[in-house]
């Protein structure tokens, strides 16, 4: 009696070219019926015909392109898409369900690799677990206005899904609902009381299967005091309050690396995603973010390996930035004149911070340089007037031998740059040497700095030598923007830069004028 059902299950479970099936929970909404039914097939559809409705149990896996399902067969409405009915239909690009369908079973569209969009009619009231999981190209989902639950793993491993708007009729979101969605940057939850499963894997743009490391580096949009805000705050996810119910929309987009793209939404959140380095920019080649006052927060996704030179130069309204563990370097002048930036967390993956990287960040009050950073460029924290503390965890970090490397004001009485905050570091470190040389306040961290231990073994003896971290201070480094190389950045430098652009033959790097611009002025 169940030949077609058995055939479909065998395709999904045992088929050599098909994936190993996810184990789904039984469809709670599809209750076994004692009614008589007949099995049938019409075109690409296999179905069960009951006295008053039709249930689809299978579909031809060779069908490609857009599919708009029939609303009825033999005069009876199609009301149910059974579990795994479209499992591994790898060539379907879109599916439109008729207004007669009320139930979508567990795994119904699992592993539909080419599926890009799904439109549910408002008749749909129930969707099963993992219904759309592993749909690798899925980018657009339109929910039914009568659906109340997004169940467990519903969109797990939908790696192309970039944004999702969850309407106010959704009252609960299950475990792993959006787990392993690599491209996901924006989740909008319209119901302020939506029950969100309490797990770091409910929303995640990291690889599924590693729950301990799951995280979401995008933004959750919701109302103040909502469950969306509580979930975001608990799992350290960027949260933006909806303003009058408005949903953020894409304001602009582009590229900023060979394999990097960026999207700026209408709320001022800039998201950079992809793999590899950001482009380096200069005064002659503006970053796409140069002097963009619309940017309020920046989210750099895992996979980006560097922040380019001049990347966020003069982003005066930038308040926060999320940097992933994949970033290894911060370019020079990367955040210069970001006067609204109040804090930044530099991950342990970063090894170098470029010259003038945080020059003139007026709102920055404290910063910690992790022990992975081996060098800090000159003027990296040049004129940060409200910077009160800087912690340098690498005892051997190379710090430029210049008072302008770290300072928050010019002191006429002292006759130069001075840092009125506190430098924290280990005893015997380069941080201590630097602070003491320039008369800055230094406080030693508790504990001992890392030491280098070398063990040599011969046939007759073993010798162990322990060497404390060597205190070194880098020679005077480049001050980026010091066009005339007089050791300071002043109005004369700005004038010379403008002259070099308007008359490069005279004032350019190879100009004829004796006081032409120098390479470090670029």
């Amino acid at each position: 009696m169940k030949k077609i059902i058995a055939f479909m299950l065998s395709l999904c479970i045992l088929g050599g070219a098909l994936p190993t099936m996810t184990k789904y929970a039984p469809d709670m909404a599809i209750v076994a019926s004692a009614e008589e039914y007949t099995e049938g097939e019409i075109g690409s559809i296999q179905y069960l015909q009951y006295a008053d409705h039709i249930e689809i149990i299978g579909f031809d896996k060779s069908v490609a392109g857009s599919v708009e399902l029939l609303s009825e067969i033999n005069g009876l409405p199609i009301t149910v898409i059974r579990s795994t009915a479209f499992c591994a239909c790898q060539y379907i690009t879109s599916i439109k369900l008729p207004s007669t369908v009320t139930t979508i079973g567990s795994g119904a569209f699992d592993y539909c690799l080419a599926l890009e969009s799904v439109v549910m009619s408002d008749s749909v009231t129930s969707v099963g677990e993992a219904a759309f999981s592993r749909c690798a190209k899925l980018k657009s989902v339109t929910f039914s206005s009568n659906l109340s639950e997004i169940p467990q793993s519903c969109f797990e491993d939908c790696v192309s899904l970039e944004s999702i708007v969850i309407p106010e009729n959704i009252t609960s979101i299950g475990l792993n609902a959006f787990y392993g969605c690599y491209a996901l940057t924006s989740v909008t939850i319209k119901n302020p009381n939506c029950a969100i499963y309490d797990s770091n894997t409910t929303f995640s743009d990291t690889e599924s299967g590693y729950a301990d490391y799951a995280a979401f580096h995008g933004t959750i949009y919701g109302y103040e005091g909502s469950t969306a805000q509580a979930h975001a705050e608990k799992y350290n996810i960027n949260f933006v309050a909806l303003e009058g119910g408005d949903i953020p929309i894409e304001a602009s987009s582009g590229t900023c690396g060979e394999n990097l793209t960026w999207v700026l939404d209408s709320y001022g959140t800039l998201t950079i995603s992809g793999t590899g380095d950001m482009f380096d920019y200069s005064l002659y080649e503006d970053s796409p973010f140069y002097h963009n006052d619309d940017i309020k927060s920046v989210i750099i996704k895992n996979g980006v390996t560097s922040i380019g030179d001049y990347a966020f130069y003069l982003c005066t309204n930038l308040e926060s930035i999320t940097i992933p563990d994949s970033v290894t370097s911060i370019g020079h002048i990367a955040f210069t004149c970001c006067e609204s930036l109040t804090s930044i967390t530099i991950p342990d993956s970063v090894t170098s911070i470029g010259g003038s990287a945080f020059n003139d960040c007026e709102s920055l009050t404290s910063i910690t340089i992790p022990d992975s950073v081996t060098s800090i460029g000159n003027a990296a924290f040049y004129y940060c007037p409200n910077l009160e503390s800087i912690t340098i965890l690498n005892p051997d970090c190379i710090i430029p031998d210049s008072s302008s490397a770290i300072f928050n004001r010019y002191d006429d009485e002292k006759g130069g740059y001075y840092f009125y905050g506190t430098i924290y570091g280990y005893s015997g470190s380069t941080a201590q040497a630097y602070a003491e040389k320039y008369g800055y306040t230094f406080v030693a961290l508790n504990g001992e700095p890392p030491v280098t231990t070398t063990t040599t073994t011969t046939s007759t003896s073993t010798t162990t030598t322990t060497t404390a971290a060597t205190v070194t201070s880098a020679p005077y480094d480049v001050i980026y923007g010091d066009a005339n190389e007089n050791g300071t950045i002043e109005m004369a430098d700005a004038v010379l830069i403008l002259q070099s652009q308007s008359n490069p033959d005279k004032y350019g790097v190879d100009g004829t004028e004796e006081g032409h611009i120098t390479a470090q002025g670029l």
Side-chain angles (χ1 to χ4, degrees), residues 166-404:
I166 300 173
E168 57 190 11
N169 51 282
I170 300 296
T171 59
S172 68
I173 301 171
L175 173 66
N176 297 347
F178 297 93
Y179 184 27
C181 296
Y182 296 167
L184 192 62
T185 60
S186 165
V187 176
T188 301
I189 303 174
K190 300 279 284 184
N191 184 343
N193 299 311
C194 182
I196 304 170
Y197 195 94
D198 188 8
S199 170
N200 62 326
T201 62
T202 301
F203 306 101
S204 164
D205 54 10
T206 53
E207 185 177 358
S208 62
Y210 300 92
D212 290 344
Y213 305 100
F216 181 45
H217 301 92
T219 299
I220 291 179
Y221 296 86
Y223 293 104
E224 290 282 356
S226 64
T227 53
Q229 181 177 15
H231 184 87
E233 291 176 353
K234 178 172 183 177
Y235 292 103
N236 197 29
I237 299 170
N238 186 50
F239 177 79
V240 174
L242 291 172
E243 300 172 3
D246 290 339
I247 297 172
I249 59 174
E250 179 180 315
S252 55
S253 61
T255 60
C256 55
E258 290 291 341
N259 297 298
L260 300 181
T261 58
W262 61 269
V263 174
L264 177 63
D265 70 26
S266 56
Y267 277 15
T269 298
L270 174 70
T271 302
I272 299 173
S273 57
T275 56
D277 293 341
M278 285 183 65
F279 289 136
D280 287 325
Y281 302 94
S282 69
L283 286 175
Y284 300 106
E285 183 185 3
D286 289 342
S287 157
F289 320 121
Y290 169 72
H291 213 325
N292 189 331
D293 293 339
D294 292 331
I295 298 175
K296 296 179 181 179
S297 64
V298 174
I299 298 171
I300 300 177
K301 304 282 282 186
N302 195 48
V304 179
T305 53
S306 74
I307 297 174
D309 296 346
Y310 286 82
F312 303 102
Y313 180 40
L314 274 170
C315 289
T316 56
N317 290 325
L318 176 60
E319 299 174 356
S320 65
I321 182 165
T322 301
I323 304 176
D325 290 338
S326 56
V327 170
T328 60
S329 65
I330 298 174
H332 75 261
I333 313 186
F335 297 97
T336 293
C337 296
C338 291
E339 58 188 39
S340 299
L341 187 65
T342 57
S343 65
I344 187 168
T345 300
I346 301 174
D348 287 337
S349 55
V350 172
T351 60
S352 65
I353 298 174
S356 297
F358 297 94
N359 186 339
D360 207 13
C361 287
E362 295 182 2
S363 300
L364 197 62
T365 58
S366 66
I367 194 161
T368 297
I369 312 297
D371 57 10
S372 58
V373 174
T374 58
S375 64
I376 300 172
N378 195 45
F381 299 94
Y382 182 97
Y383 193 66
C384 294
N386 293 301
L387 187 63
E388 298 176 352
S389 71
I390 180 168
T391 301
I392 303 174
L393 296 177
N394 183 347
D396 299 316
C397 183
I398 297 174
I399 306 171
D401 190 7
S402 168
S403 61
S404 65

Side-chain angles (χ1 to χ4, degrees), residues 32-94:
S33 173
E35 291 182 71
E36 290 294 327
Y37 62 83
T38 57
E39 300 172 8
E41 184 171 345
I42 180 171
S44 303
I45 300 173
Q46 295 95 47
Y47 63 90
L48 301 180
Q49 179 173 329
Y50 290 85
D52 58 355
H53 71 282
I54 300 289
E55 299 184 6
I56 295 178
I57 59 172
F59 195 80
D60 185 350
K61 290 177 170 39
S62 66
V63 172
S66 299
V67 172
E68 182 172 351
L69 286 181
L70 301 170
S71 61
E72 60 179 44
I73 296 176
N74 298 332
L76 298 175
I78 297 174
T79 60
V80 176
I81 310 295
R82 284 269 188 152
S83 294
T84 72
F86 289 80
C87 168
C89 288
Q90 300 185 44
Y91 309 110
I92 294 176
T93 56
S94 67

